[in-house]
Amino acid sequence: MNKPLIMVSSVTYAMKGKQILNSFGIRSEIERTAKRDMKNGCGYSLYVPKDTDEAEKILKENHIKIIGRSERGNPK
């Protein structure tokens, strides 16, 4: 099973995003972005196990700069 990640442009946006999602009842965790997935950000993502599309919409509406989406496979 893959882990949906929302990549953000800074650790500050990751922390703010986590707080915003929490206020909407959406669980998230801040994770380092894999180097292969880093584009123009600092290397932080929000792992959102459920309602990822809704979470991305909420983040955008709250002016959190999103640089992309990725998925990370769970270790075996």
Side-chain angles (χ1 to χ4, degrees):
M1 182 171 176
N2 289 332
K3 293 176 74 173
L5 301 173
I6 300 173
M7 297 181 290
V8 294
S9 61
S10 71
V11 69
T12 302
Y13 277 129
M15 293 185 319
K16 287 181 182 179
K18 180 176 173 56
Q19 290 177 330
I20 290 167
L21 293 176
N22 187 52
S23 73
F24 281 86
I26 298 175
R27 186 175 75 86
S28 65
E29 297 174 22
I30 298 171
E31 294 194 1
R32 293 285 296 171
T33 303
K35 288 188 182 218
R36 65 175 169 74
D37 292 330
M38 286 176 36
K39 293 177 176 97
N40 297 318
C42 68
Y44 286 91
S45 295
L46 289 167
Y47 163 55
V48 184
K50 296 181 182 177
D51 303 318
T52 309
D53 292 334
E54 180 67 17
E56 185 173 350
K57 179 182 170 204
I58 290 167
L59 293 172
K60 287 179 180 178
E61 289 172 353
N62 286 276
H63 311 289
I64 301 298
K65 186 175 180 185
I66 296 170
I67 59 171
R69 292 266 296 261
S70 182
E71 288 191 358
R72 189 182 83 194
N74 289 338
K76 295 182 179 182

